[in-house]
Amino acid sequence: DDTDDELVRRDALTSEEAGLRNDLARLDSNRAYVQGLRQELQLGIGGYAQSCQLRVPSLEAAEAFWCGALGMDAFDRRKDDEGRRLVSVSYGPVSLDEENGAHFSINLVEDTALPTGPAAVDADQPGDPRVISLTRPGLAYIQVAVPNPLRISKVFESEAEILWGYGYFELALPLSAGGGRVRAYAGKARRDPVELLSYHVENPKAAAEELRRALPGLEVLPLAVYDGKNRGPVSPKDVGNVYIPRPPKGSVLLGYAGANESGACVMLEPMQKPSKGAVSTDPTDGYDGIDIVSGAEVNADVVTPAVVSVRSRKF
């Protein structure tokens, strides 16, 4: 019979092999994606979500979460035009000049004027933690299909709160790391693990139309909404997994063609009431916009929803 130590070593090797297979699958998928994306952009079509910016009280606390707990890599450390420290994090190269590029990046900017401390919500608070109710429109959560199993010890080290842990992780970031929510799950060999940014708005349909007018080629993507009974996705092309709650009726998923499978998307959800016994929370205060690269000319005259805060440019 195998000893306990041998079983542990075998399990570790199996986990490493599974991680390597996922990494190789992502590399192959990414190579084809980048080649096709460059061709589209050069033809004046298509586009992609490139990055977003988050102001955080402590870069060290933010890196402990995004890199330590979620497995991103930090790069491009510098100071911005205002002299603030900045670091970008992503799951791979961001440049289109690299065959493994075009990964969505999160630019973390240190803003010591923001409040610091633990997460605004914790696992002991009443109500369904899967229901996010905001006090006002804003960024509700970022959803990530982590390429390897989540490192729970690193989540604890980052001082994030695990609000839900069955089938996926509903995580509340400490205020020191910028606050807000992240939904993370494993098991999907996605080209870019950053799946979507979800914003709660007053009128998702109207906001979606404004964004589509401003950004030619931006599409409404397939989305399985909550039907009062079933919660998970209905096809392999749906975002999320079978455990992540479907967004409520009226939600809209936006992105360029194929983004629901391989790129970062924009989710627009209607404002929601808190579940019984819970209270509404503030949106991510440090959110400073999303950067989108378009193959076609951008309609600069169209005013996009302030809550999404799009910065767009032509390739």
Side-chain angles (χ1 to χ4, degrees), residues 131-173:
V131 177
I132 300 176
S133 173
L134 299 183
T135 56
R136 61 184 184 278
L139 177 64
Y141 61 91
I142 296 175
Q143 188 163 298
V144 180
V146 290
N148 298 306
L150 207 64
R151 294 174 280 189
I152 303 301
S153 62
K154 295 294 185 180
V155 174
F156 289 141
E157 286 181 18
S158 74
E159 299 184 348
E161 283 280 341
I162 299 177
L163 305 179
W164 184 268
Y166 181 72
Y168 82 99
F169 289 92
E170 186 85 34
L171 304 172
L173 280 68

Side-chain angles (χ1 to χ4, degrees), residues 5-19:
D5 288 344
E6 289 172 337
L7 289 172
V8 169
R9 284 195 293 270
R10 182 183 301 172
D11 288 344
L13 286 172
T14 301
S15 179
E16 289 178 7
E17 290 173 0

Side-chain angles (χ1 to χ4, degrees), residues 235-302:
S235 83
K237 294 184 178 182
D238 277 327
V239 292
N241 66 6
V242 296
Y243 300 98
I244 291 180
R246 295 182 190 175
K249 289 182 179 180
S251 299
V252 181
L253 186 67
L254 294 174
Y256 292 93
N260 50 321
E261 297 180 85
S262 57
C265 303
V266 168
M267 176 99 82
L268 302 173
E269 299 186 35
M271 300 293 290
Q272 300 178 51
K273 294 181 180 179
S275 61
K276 186 176 180 181
V279 296
S280 297
T281 56
D282 292 335
T284 309
D285 283 336
Y287 171 73
D288 266 349
I290 186 170
D291 300 284
I292 293 180
V293 177
S294 171
E297 289 289 347
V298 176
N299 294 327
D301 294 335
V302 177

